């Protein structure tokens, strides 16, 4: 089945630790995205990548980092510099820009303990 | 002021009723308009996709875009309990960034 796989589904982090969220797609999409979802705020863009080895900051990139070494993979690292990391994180991919459909993964819920 | 405004609800309707959802926006450069459905603890899935102004119908779903008023709507006819979800509007200028509304939570009562 083609799609986007995010792992893990649930993740717990101690304060001061970095954690990495995985996102893999087998849709042969060029563009990949990371969003953060908080109650009552909708989805906010963290980072996006239009092509391998290239990525751009979104609206709330501070405290996050990404890499795009392979077309299929776009991992997100939540660093200790992110002051309020508890949220639902969603990865998406599309064939191109805003005129194409974005497909979403099932999300990772990160909780700081 | 947020770029995309969407009433979070919640909205509760009886089975078979018409569900009416809407979003307003401030950026006149938006050209592509989408509605996503999100079930609890799941990723959003695309329901409707519209370019520029006009109407689009797909089964029980109708999307309307009025660019002159900066207003988009989604109507769900003959609503079912399985339609209970959060509905997110999203829009784009034709770059790589989608701007989302906060989402409206809908409950269809059996």
């Amino acid at each position: 089945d083609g799609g986007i796989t995010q792992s893990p589904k649930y993740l717990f982090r101690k304060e001061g630790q970095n954690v990495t969220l995985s996102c893999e797609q087998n849709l042969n999409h060029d563009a990949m995205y990371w969003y953060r979802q908080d109650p009552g705020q909708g989805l906010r863009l963290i980072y996006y990548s239009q092509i391998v080895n290239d990525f751009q900051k979104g609206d709330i990139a501070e405290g996050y980092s990404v890499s795009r070494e392979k077309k299929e993979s776009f991992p997100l690292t939540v660093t200790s510099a992110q002051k309020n990391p508890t949220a639902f994180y969603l990865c998406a991919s599309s064939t191109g820009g805003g005129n194409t459909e974005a497909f979403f993964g099932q999300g990772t819920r990160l909780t700081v303990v | 002021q947020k770029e995309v405004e969407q009433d979070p609800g919640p909205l509760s309707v009886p089975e078979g009723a018409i569900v009416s959802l809407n979003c307003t926006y401030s950026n006149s450069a938006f050209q592509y308009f989408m509605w996503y459905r999100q079930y609890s603890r799941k990723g959003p899935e695309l329901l409707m996709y519209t370019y520029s102004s006009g109407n689009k119908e797909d089964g029980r779903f109708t999307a309307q875009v009025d660019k002159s008023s900066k207003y988009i709507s989604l109507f769900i006819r003959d609503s079912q309990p399985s339609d209970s979800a959060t509905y997110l509007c999203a829009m784009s200028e034709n770059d790589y960034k989608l701007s989302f509304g906060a989402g409206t939570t809908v409950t269809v009562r059996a």
Side-chain angles (χ1 to χ4, degrees):
Chain A
D1 286 332
I4 300 177
T5 301
Q6 289 187 242
S7 61
K9 190 172 182 178
Y10 299 96
L11 187 57
F12 297 89
R13 188 195 92 171
K14 293 182 179 179
E15 287 196 22
Q17 284 184 335
N18 293 355
V19 289
T20 297
L21 283 59
S22 171
C23 178
E24 303 279 331
Q25 54 100 358
N26 60 6
L27 300 168
N28 199 33
H29 286 169
D30 287 318
M32 297 187 74
Y33 314 78
W34 274 105
Y35 290 89
R36 169 180 172 143
Q37 187 174 32
D38 296 281
Q41 293 198 47
L43 276 66
R44 292 182 290 167
L45 183 64
I46 304 172
Y47 268 97
Y48 65 102
S49 169
Q50 300 176 33
I51 198 169
V52 174
N53 293 322
D54 185 53
F55 48 83
Q56 285 78 41
K57 293 182 179 180
D59 299 319
I60 56 164
E62 185 175 352
Y64 300 97
S65 65
V66 294
S67 63
R68 187 83 188 278
E69 297 177 1
K70 298 187 300 181
K71 187 175 185 177
E72 302 79 16
S73 179
F74 191 41
L76 174 74
T77 297
V78 184
T79 75
S80 57
Q82 170 50 237
K83 298 306 179 187
N84 186 23
T86 294
F88 190 48
Y89 290 87
L90 286 159
C91 179
S93 72
S94 71
T95 57
N99 60 340
T100 58
E101 177 181 355
F103 292 85
F104 283 83
Q106 292 303 294
T108 293
R109 185 165 298 278
L110 173 64
T111 303
V112 174
V113 296
Chain B
Q1 183 188 8
K2 291 182 180 179
E3 197 170 39
V4 180
E5 297 278 359
Q6 182 177 8
D7 186 341
L11 185 63
S12 180
V13 301
E15 184 175 358
I18 295 175
V19 176
S20 175
L21 304 166
N22 59 77
C23 290
T24 59
Y25 61 94
S26 56
N27 185 351
S28 58
F30 285 144
Q31 298 186 73
Y32 300 92
F33 303 91
M34 288 140 274
W35 286 95
Y36 284 84
R37 177 175 62 195
Q38 185 177 25
Y39 292 112
S40 181
R41 297 187 180 88
K42 301 291 185 182
E45 56 179 327
L46 184 69
L47 276 179
M48 300 288 283
Y49 174 90
T50 309
Y51 169 67
S52 193
S53 286
N55 295 354
K56 185 174 183 179
E57 188 172 318
D58 184 1
R60 297 185 294 113
F61 298 91
T62 300
Q64 293 182 349
V65 175
D66 183 349
K67 290 188 70 178
S68 63
S69 301
K70 297 190 181 65
Y71 185 91
I72 69 171
S73 301
L74 177 71
F75 300 95
I76 307 173
R77 293 184 299 279
D78 187 25
S79 58
Q80 305 295 312
S82 58
D83 294 325
S84 298
T86 297
Y87 291 82
L88 300 158
C89 64
M91 42 201 81
S92 170
E93 295 183 28
N94 192 26
D95 55 15
Y96 284 82
K97 295 176 64 175
L98 285 174
S99 295
F100 283 85
T104 301
T105 300
V106 174
T107 299
V108 180
R109 308 185 306 271

